[in-house]
Amino acid sequence: MTQETRSDLELLGANTGNCLRVAVTLEALGLSFRRTSLDLHQGEHNSPRFLALNPFGKVPVLINRRPNGELFILTQSNAILLYLCTIRPDVLLPENDARHRALVMERFFYFLTDVIGPSGDGFYLSQNRYPRGTELLLQRTLDAITASEIFFEDNSFIAGPSFTLADIVALTIVNANSSGIAWDRVPKLRYWFSRVMERDDVSRGLAVFKN
Ligand SMILES: N[C@@H](CCC(=O)N[C@@H](CS)C(=O)NCC(=O)O)C(=O)O
């Protein structure tokens, strides 16, 4: 494991979508954190030291060291995102505008369940050599990305006029599938993607686990 920079927050992970969502969120919230990079190919996520943190043997893991030395550990990427938003409220998730918050959650869950879900299952089938299933789930992922074109008003973000958690969830999976997207069919998505990928916090977050 490679460790960098001291802080009360430590993110253990690798260069995968579930970890990058968290890394971009930490950067977008302006939270300093220590990165611990695990080599999944070397099985570092199955070491006794890591399994003591997350018995499921999966990344990401967030460790929050409290001032009294107590450790608070979270092991699900999307729970980590929501927890981080409570540390810096109203930056990526609206606090007081119930309808805007609901819209952010609607699109946050759209990308998690309708895009990232099939994408993850397709990856699993590809690893287990089911080419037809892999192909079908990739197409389902790309179709759901294409359908997200309806979320955009002119110059807007995924869930309204500001950059939110929904944009972070969307941009990591759109980025991972960018070569398969028929960009000429989704001009609003294309314009949004070019703008979010130019953001410094997004660039820093996407680079966190590039060794
Ligand atoms: N539901 C979990 C999934 C975590 C997950 O599947 N992590 C992958 C990397 S993206 C992993 O650790 N894979 C290693 C393995 O399963 O052996 C989350 O969202 O955090």
Side-chain angles (χ1 to χ4, degrees):
M1 295 189 202
T2 322
Q3 296 194 335
E4 286 171 10
T5 64
R6 298 232 141 260
S7 105
D8 292 342
L9 291 171
E10 178 178 356
L11 175 62
L12 295 91
N15 197 29
T16 72
N18 287 329
C19 299
L20 293 178
R21 278 203 299 285
V22 178
V24 173
T25 299
L26 282 159
E27 294 289 347
L29 290 170
L31 293 167
S32 65
F33 62 101
R34 180 160 58 142
R35 175 204 81 149
T36 298
S37 190
L38 278 85
D39 187 338
L40 302 184
H41 299 293
Q42 295 297 322
E44 288 187 331
H45 55 306
N46 291 317
S47 68
R49 191 167 144 221
F50 185 77
L51 290 174
L53 295 170
N54 183 6
F56 293 107
K58 298 211 183 276
V59 288
V61 167
L62 182 84
I63 304 177
N64 188 187
R65 279 186 186 72
R66 295 277 171 68
N68 64 4
E70 180 195 323
L71 299 185
F72 178 60
I73 299 169
L74 280 173
T75 62
Q76 283 289 330
S77 57
N78 304 306
I80 296 171
L81 300 185
L82 295 172
Y83 175 65
L84 293 175
C85 286
T86 67
I87 299 177
R88 288 271 158 86
D90 225 13
V91 178
L92 294 174
L93 193 55
E95 283 293 299
N96 302 314
D97 183 340
R99 289 193 174 184
H100 188 201
R101 186 185 175 94
L103 202 67
V104 173
M105 295 316 289
E106 177 190 71
R107 289 157 196 195
F108 173 81
F109 284 115
Y110 176 82
F111 278 93
L112 289 179
T113 62
D114 295 30
V115 183
I116 295 173
S119 170
D121 290 342
F123 179 67
Y124 178 76
L125 290 187
S126 75
Q127 285 187 315
N128 287 279
R129 296 194 190 83
Y130 280 88
R132 181 69 186 128
T134 303
E135 195 186 311
L136 274 174
L137 285 171
L138 174 61
Q139 194 53 54
R140 192 174 169 90
T141 302
L142 293 172
D143 288 348
I145 290 175
T146 302
S148 73
E149 178 80 353
I150 61 166
F151 291 154
F152 298 95
E153 306 291 335
D154 286 345
N155 300 335
S156 75
F157 291 91
I158 291 276
S162 58
F163 183 82
T164 67
L165 207 51
D167 293 281
I168 294 176
V169 174
L171 75 88
T172 49
I173 190 67
V174 169
N175 190 36
N177 285 279
S178 61
S179 63
I181 296 170
W183 287 108
D184 53 326
R185 291 177 51 205
V186 285
K188 291 177 180 171
L189 182 78
R190 184 176 57 199
Y191 179 58
W192 162 84
F193 187 58
S194 67
R195 279 187 304 149
V196 293
M197 292 302 279
E198 280 170 4
R199 291 173 61 104
D200 288 344
D201 49 9
V202 169
S203 305
R204 284 195 307 274
L206 293 178
V208 160
F209 289 109
K210 282 193 178 134
N211 291 309

